[in-house]
Amino acid sequence: MHLIVTRPRADADKLKSRLQANGHAVTVLPLLTIEIDDSNSIPDTAWQAIAVTSANALTALQRIGIPAELKAVPVFTVGPASARLADELGFADVRQAAGDMIALQGLMKQDLTPEAAPILYLTGKVRSGDLAQDLSSAGFSVERIELYEAVAATQFPVRGQQAIGSGKADGVLLYSARTADIWLQLVGQSDLHAEAAKLTHFCLSQAVAEKVRSGLGRKVSIVISGNPDDDSMLDAIEDTAATQSNETATPGKGATMANRKTPSRKAKKPARPTVIDAKATEVKSDETEKQVSSQANKSATAA
């Protein structure tokens, strides 16, 4: 498959290597650029915990310098990517939520005490949800520090327009509702709506998928990652590639995938991806569409 990766450059390059190792062609098309505010510093306070909803916050913290005493403070992360980075940076106590803000709130409310020291919330200038407000309403003291800004792309570069417009791309990876919004805006701006609607949209969550469906129509081919992490996204891509290979195989000779390499993924399989309106399960009637949508709502992960 030829895939468009829309993550910020550093994350996109890592994904590109893994996808290429699995035999896919990749066009890197970052829709967000991470700009770190080097003027920031962390107040010398006895923190009860640190909350992180994006690995970008930890990358920014590393850039400005991590006080040694801060590494002893429990770090609560929204998912596995930020948890892994926190481990790599030397934080002694890393607690990972199940991949969404609701799960992170629940974990923090379960493990922490409102009457104890304040919580340090490391974030960007644009946020999905309001963790600080939610925790404050439960009686916690929260200090939010904006360490970076995720700046949206304002146009597709030439390579992006060519990948979409030429029809050589098969799919696009979208990791957040905001990225999906930017994707749809630039698709419309570049007059590539019809071409983009032909791509399989690999979405990290149900929320991302709903953005895509609202912008490109209910017949667009969507695959939702079984879990909100890179490994699950890669599994969703491999499952889709295998399905498409079976559909195009020569009758009587079985499926073949020329030049396909062994997937470089973890042995443990994550939850199965949810397929919405993809070719293998194309909606044929309103009633069928309701059934598929119901299945998606039950099994899809949150953003």
Side-chain angles (χ1 to χ4, degrees):
M1 299 178 73
H2 186 122
L3 300 167
I4 298 172
V5 176
T6 62
R7 301 212 74 191
R9 174 62 63 176
D11 297 322
D13 287 343
K14 294 176 184 177
L15 267 178
K16 178 180 178 180
S17 297
R18 297 185 68 181
L19 289 166
Q20 288 178 330
N22 289 352
H24 302 291
V26 178
T27 295
V28 172
L29 194 63
L31 298 184
L32 291 170
T33 299
I34 304 302
E35 296 183 355
I36 295 172
D37 185 353
D38 293 318
S39 67
N40 267 313
S41 61
I42 304 300
D44 184 13
T45 301
W47 304 105
Q48 175 180 188
I50 302 168
V52 176
T53 52
S54 170
N56 291 318
L58 291 172
T59 300
L61 179 63
Q62 182 183 28
R63 171 85 66 85
I64 67 174
I66 307 174
E69 61 273 14
L70 199 64
K71 292 186 178 182
V73 178
V75 178
F76 289 76
T77 72
V78 73
S82 45
R84 281 195 298 270
L85 183 53
D87 281 329
E88 292 170 6
L89 294 177
F91 285 93
D93 184 356
V94 180
R95 308 181 195 184
Q96 176 189 320
D100 59 49
M101 295 286 278
I102 294 175
L104 180 58
Q105 292 173 38
L107 179 62
M108 296 185 74
K109 290 175 182 178
Q110 170 187 296
D111 290 2
L112 304 176
T113 304
E115 296 77 18
I119 295 169
L120 173 63
Y121 179 24
L122 303 177
T123 184
K125 291 186 177 180
V126 177
R127 295 169 297 281
S128 176
D130 196 340
L131 180 65
Q133 178 59 44
D134 292 331
L135 290 174
S136 295
S137 65
F140 290 91
S141 174
V142 182
E143 181 167 349
R144 183 173 61 214
I145 298 182
E146 297 175 348
L147 295 180
Y148 68 95
E149 182 175 7
V151 180
T154 57
Q155 63 181 13
F156 282 137
V158 173
R159 69 178 180 280
Q161 295 189 39
Q162 290 175 341
I164 303 166
S166 66
K168 70 177 183 179
D170 300 298
V172 57
L173 281 64
L174 297 171
Y175 271 65
S176 70
R178 186 183 179 206
T179 302
D181 279 334
I182 299 168
W183 168 257
L184 294 171
Q185 178 182 343
L186 297 186
V187 160
Q189 179 180 305
S190 303
D191 197 23
L192 292 170
H193 186 280
E195 291 80 0
K198 297 175 184 178
L199 300 175
T200 297
H201 285 67
F202 294 95
C203 301
L204 195 69
S205 71
Q206 175 73 10
V208 179
E210 287 304 321
K211 289 283 186 180
V212 173
R213 287 166 70 89
S214 67
L216 294 179
R218 302 193 67 81
K219 290 187 178 180
V220 63
S221 182
I222 292 175
V223 179
I224 303 174
S225 175
N227 290 310
D229 56 59
D230 283 342
D231 290 329
S232 296
M233 183 70 95
L234 290 171
D235 276 310
I237 291 167
E238 294 310 315
D239 287 345
T240 302
T243 298
Q244 293 180 358
S245 178
N246 287 335
E247 291 173 350
T248 59
T250 302
K253 293 187 178 181
T256 60
M257 290 189 71
N259 301 320
R260 184 174 181 226
K261 301 180 182 179
T262 301
S264 59
R265 295 172 286 154
K266 293 182 178 179
K268 183 179 179 181
K269 291 282 287 183
R272 294 280 295 175
T274 298
V275 181
I276 303 177
D277 299 355
K279 293 179 181 177
T281 57
E282 185 177 355
V283 170
K284 298 298 184 183
S285 68
D286 290 341
E287 183 59 29
T288 307
E289 183 172 355
K290 291 177 182 177
Q291 293 173 2
V292 174
S293 297
S294 175
Q295 178 186 2
N297 289 332
K298 292 179 180 178
S299 60
T301 57

